[in-house]
Amino acid sequence: MDHEFHQLRVAEVKRETPDSVSVRLEVPEPLRGTFAFKAGQHLTFRREIGGEEVRRNYSVCVAPSEGLLKIGVKRIAGGAFSGWVNEALKAGDTLDVMAPHGSFCWNFEAQARRHYVAFAGGSGITPILSLMKTALAVESQSQFTLFYGNRTSAGVMFLEEIAGLKDRYIDRLGVFHFLEDEEEEIQVFNGRLDRAKIDVLLSSLVDPAHVDAFFICGPGPMMDAAEEALQARNVEPSRILVERFTTGPLSAAQAAAARALEEKAAGLKMSITLNGRRMNVTFDPANRSILDNVRAAGMPAPFACKGGVCATCRAKVTAGEVSMKVNYGLTAQELAEGYVLTCQATPVSEGVSLTYDV
Ligand code: FES
């Protein structure tokens, strides 16, 4: 993967709701290959704010077939980057952007006849919109059901666009909105998408046994509730695709165990490959993670969230052993293939060798 940042010009900033915008980026011809993406992937942005480098990931909200590159950005309380995008960013500005990445993806096939179900909350709609449009466009016989939770109707991102898709794919797309702060006539559509409501939906509106894949993206509690409800119905993990934007802190016990492991790893030698260059790095617990040790050694290893969520810091272990504090960004298959999130990783053996060039 290309780990460089590229300067892309902003073609359009469109207000979607009072606290969100969509941003369309121009991709010059020589960078078309670099910025080709799969539905569900995201982009890493970099900007200096208040003398500090800030990195954020935002999901692409269009289908690859649309020939556009567009993200949705919801302002979060105290969010330096999202606040700046919502208030100050305008057409003609440039943004530092890394090539698309992420594994919240599905292999859509033209001949398939499938049923997909998505649970989205708030700005979690962005990657799901990309997946939904792609599923409907690529698989002309497939069905898609969207359960979309928000606080108010005014805060629903892409409301008109989703209504347009509903008209266009009238027989194949089902859309159900859930509002926390507004009363609907039908009781089930009031309130948040919690476990009890999701259980009702899985018993009445969709039968998990006949669903090929579930896509889940939104606030943590909603995602946990959806995942737990599906697991309780014995849906195989390979049919549950989850994309997290943020995660909570470690418990005190987890943090203490992670710290002890870092201390134990002091002095372990690692061989790191990045951008075709190989370097030996000695683990220093003061730098906490393999990622920060690699960067402290002068290698510009990629990262964004540093919270185990976005997988921007992904690398492959080719020798030795490492341990991760948390992993919300890698699939079971990636883990089996030896990938780790270096922002969460500590070496637990001598002779760890890992490469970012995969
Ligand atoms: S930087 Fe996001 S998972 Fe490591």
Side-chain angles (χ1 to χ4, degrees), residues 57 291 302-314 329 341-344:
N57 277 338
L291 172 76
F303 73 92
C305 74
K306 287 197 180 177
V309 174
C310 70
T312 311
C313 64
R314 189 182 89 140
L341 302 173
T342 55
C343 74
Q344 298 299 312

Side-chain angles (χ1 to χ4, degrees), residues 14 22 30 44 49 61 96 101 126 135 140 154 167 195 204 214 230 233 245 256 261 301 318 333 343 353:
K14 185 175 165 216
S22 59
T44 301
I49 298 178
C61 60
D96 285 352
H101 56 102
T126 47
S140 61
D167 287 344
R195 175 67 193 270
S204 56
F214 292 88
L230 294 170
R233 285 167 170 76
F245 289 160
L261 212 57
T318 54
Q333 189 180 339
C343 74
S353 194

Side-chain angles (χ1 to χ4, degrees), residues 39-353:
Q41 287 194 309
H42 50 255
L43 303 169
T44 301
F45 293 82
R46 175 179 71 180
R47 180 177 156 79
E48 196 153 303
I49 298 178
E52 266 191 44
E53 184 186 289
V54 173
R55 295 187 179 198
R56 292 289 181 271
N57 277 338
Y58 291 100
S59 294
V60 176
C61 60
V62 285
S65 59
E66 291 177 80
L68 303 171
L69 190 61
K70 196 160 117 174
I71 55 161
V73 181
K74 183 166 183 168
R75 185 206 316 258
I76 55 165
F81 195 93
S82 65
W84 169 73
V85 169
N86 268 270
E87 282 152 30
L89 189 72
K90 56 186 186 317
D93 291 347
T94 54
L95 287 169
D96 285 352
V97 194
M98 210 187 275
H101 56 102
S103 47
F104 189 50
C105 300
W106 183 260
N107 187 20
F108 296 108
E109 298 164 305
Q111 301 311 317
R113 180 193 285 266
R114 298 187 179 126
H115 184 190
Y116 302 104
V117 171
F119 292 96
S123 59
I125 189 65
T126 47
I128 283 175
L129 187 56
S130 171
L131 289 159
M132 185 166 92
K133 288 184 190 182
T134 306
L136 293 165
V138 172
E139 298 183 355
S140 61
Q141 303 176 83
S142 289
Q143 307 268 333
F144 203 108
T145 304
L146 171 66
F147 299 118
Y148 186 14
N150 282 281
R151 300 193 81 85
T152 63
S153 48
V156 180
M157 290 176 80
F158 307 112
L159 183 62
E160 273 178 34
E161 187 168 357
I162 292 169
L165 288 168
K166 180 86 191 72
D167 287 344
R168 180 164 168 201
Y169 298 108
I170 197 150
D171 298 329
R172 298 196 291 126
L173 174 62
V175 177
F176 300 91
H177 289 282
F178 300 82
L179 300 173
E180 272 178 51
D181 297 346
E182 287 174 23
E183 286 279 309
E184 290 282 329
E185 265 174 43
I186 305 171
Q187 188 55 32
V188 73
F189 300 126
N190 292 326
R192 65 177 65 198
L193 273 171
D194 57 12
R195 175 67 193 270
K197 198 170 299 290
I198 291 169
D199 276 335
V200 171
L201 301 176
L202 295 176
S203 309
S204 56
L205 285 172
V206 292
D207 177 359
H210 296 115
V211 175
D212 295 89
F214 292 88
F215 303 110
I216 306 172
C217 187
M222 184 218 82
M223 299 178 70
D224 294 343
E227 221 178 338
E228 284 161 20
L230 294 170
Q231 284 163 353
R233 285 167 170 76
N234 298 319
V235 176
E236 304 86 46
S238 60
R239 290 196 287 134
I240 309 174
L241 285 82
V242 176
E243 177 81 329
R244 286 181 191 270
F245 289 160
T246 56
T247 177
L250 294 179
S251 69
Q254 287 171 318
R259 190 63 199 143
L261 212 57
E262 287 162 7
E263 303 283 0
K264 206 171 155 204
L268 289 179
K269 304 260 184 309
M270 305 176 289
S271 168
I272 309 294
T273 304
L274 174 70
N275 298 336
R277 197 173 139 227
R278 198 182 178 111
M279 197 170 163
N280 289 326
V281 176
T282 304
F283 189 84
D284 176 355
N287 290 323
R288 308 303 303 265
S289 63
I290 291 180
L291 172 76
D292 283 341
N293 273 280
V294 170
R295 292 188 63 84
M299 298 179 95
F303 73 92
C305 74
K306 287 197 180 177
V309 174
C310 70
T312 311
C313 64
R314 189 182 89 140
K316 189 169 186 173
V317 176
T318 54
E321 252 187 82
V322 311
S323 163
M324 280 192 286
K325 294 183 195 96
V326 296
N327 165 38
Y328 298 108
L330 296 175
T331 62
Q333 189 180 339
E334 286 173 306
L335 288 174
E337 289 170 5
Y339 287 98
V340 292
L341 302 173
T342 55
C343 74
Q344 298 299 312
T346 308
V348 292
S349 75
E350 258 307 348
V352 164
S353 194

